[in-house]
Amino acid sequence: MELLADNEDQTHLPPIQIGVFHPPQPTDLRSPCPVLNALANHGYLPRDGRSILAGEMNAAMVVVGVNYPIRALLTAGTYLENGGNQATGLSAILRNPLAYAFRRFGLRYQDQVDAEGCPCVDLDQLGRHNVIEHDVSWTRRDAAQGDNATVQKNLVEKMMAAASDGKAVDTNDFAKLRRQRLQEQRRDNPEVRYGMLQHLSACGEIAFVQALFGDRKQKKVAIEYIEALYLEERLPLEEGWMKRKGWLPGIGELSTQAFKIVWTVGKIV
């Protein structure tokens, strides 16, 4: 196959096969979530990060072993409209109790649909501050610092260095790192907002990663997996990771692990 000249139009190249990793292009949209970004970089979500349907989001999460109840909860909130004229009161609860419960997590713009009229979101909308995204990220800066979407290499390196055995990061290591990140951001960002809601979200995020990418017994996440997932935003297939077989992690397991991290971190005030 002949190489294309630098100025040759490459729009007629065949699409990259689904499952094959390819880094995002400059015009592609990405989120603060490394797992969703990895799924887009492998083509399980639209590679440009635009106009993603709820069905596509749901199917992509199957690839990494997210069970149905969790997928349903995540998409239920994400695809609600953000702000606008949301109904409130008893009538709103009775009409759609699930939508009412998750209304604050909605990310869609008002009347945001694709060319076929189907509700959709773009990946960068997950970066809306204090909806799902929050201050004191594991690997991003705070919104008040100007960029809450771009992964910070030094923060990923700190996460890898947190492994007390030099091989994998366990719950105690993550808890210690959480305390360090909170101290750093309170020092570096006078506008930092980090209460119990943000704390539960942060601990839930890492419990999610532990359940999907950690070993089943101790939830240790290999530093090679962390480098692939957080720095390259790539599924760590080359490093030996495989989706869990059999019983997939559910709401109970994730909640238990998240509160274990909260307990290990201790007071945050």
Side-chain angles (χ1 to χ4, degrees):
M1 180 178 179
E2 294 183 1
L3 295 176
L4 293 173
D6 291 341
N7 61 350
E8 187 174 344
D9 183 7
Q10 299 187 29
T11 59
H12 298 297
L13 288 175
I16 303 168
Q17 184 178 358
I18 293 176
V20 174
F21 172 77
H22 193 274
Q25 300 303 297
T27 56
D28 293 341
L29 302 179
R30 290 295 181 265
S31 77
C33 175
V35 176
L36 292 181
N37 291 346
L39 289 169
N41 291 340
H42 282 271
Y44 295 110
L45 290 173
R47 292 185 184 270
D48 65 359
R50 290 177 167 81
S51 299
I52 301 171
L53 304 177
E56 292 175 321
M57 186 75 76
N58 197 310
M61 288 190 285
V62 173
V63 174
V64 290
V66 182
N67 76 355
Y68 176 76
I70 296 175
R71 299 198 311 270
L73 287 172
L74 291 174
T75 53
T78 299
Y79 283 83
L80 295 174
E81 290 185 353
N82 181 272
N85 300 315
Q86 292 181 343
T88 58
L90 181 61
S91 62
I93 298 174
L94 294 175
R95 183 166 57 250
N96 193 333
L98 190 62
Y100 186 84
F102 287 91
R103 65 194 186 283
R104 75 168 299 274
F105 299 106
L107 291 172
R108 287 177 55 233
Y109 298 116
Q110 191 169 3
D111 300 322
Q112 182 181 359
V113 295
D114 67 3
E116 303 298 324
C118 299
C120 64
V121 296
D122 298 336
L123 274 182
D124 64 340
Q125 289 173 245
L126 275 79
R128 284 188 174 183
H129 190 45
N130 279 330
V131 179
I132 294 176
E133 181 276 342
H134 55 82
D135 283 343
V136 197
S137 164
W138 295 92
T139 58
R140 268 77 174 168
R141 298 300 182 194
D142 293 346
Q145 295 175 298
D147 182 4
N148 64 343
T150 304
V151 62
Q152 303 297 316
K153 183 179 179 182
N154 67 308
L155 294 181
V156 178
E157 290 173 343
K158 283 184 179 181
M159 183 182 287
M160 296 166 62
S164 53
D165 65 359
K167 297 178 181 179
V169 186
D170 64 17
T171 298
N172 289 330
D173 298 330
F174 280 121
K176 182 178 179 180
L177 181 62
R178 180 85 317 229
R179 291 192 293 268
Q180 292 174 348
R181 287 288 297 127
L182 184 54
Q183 292 172 357
E184 291 170 353
Q185 292 309 104
R186 283 177 171 166
R187 179 195 66 207
D188 297 340
N189 177 18
E191 301 177 32
V192 67
R193 178 180 174 184
Y194 193 82
M196 185 51 65
L197 181 62
Q198 291 80 14
H199 189 49
L200 288 172
S201 180
C203 293
E205 290 160 7
I206 213 64
F208 189 72
V209 169
Q210 287 182 287
L212 298 181
F213 298 95
D215 71 277
R216 191 161 185 170
K217 185 176 181 180
Q218 296 182 299
K219 302 293 190 292
K220 289 186 174 183
V221 185
I223 58 175
E224 293 85 3
Y225 291 7
I226 290 173
E227 182 175 18
L229 185 64
Y230 283 91
L231 193 57
E232 300 179 46
E233 298 190 324
R234 170 177 61 81
L235 298 178
L237 299 167
E238 298 176 8
E239 291 74 14
W241 172 79
M242 293 186 294
K243 181 177 75 172
R244 184 192 288 192
K245 296 180 180 179
W247 186 258
L248 300 178
I251 295 173
E253 179 180 337
L254 289 180
S255 299
T256 299
Q257 184 60 26
F259 280 107
K260 184 176 181 180
I261 300 169
V262 170
W263 178 263
T264 307
V265 171
K267 291 184 178 181
I268 61 170
V269 294

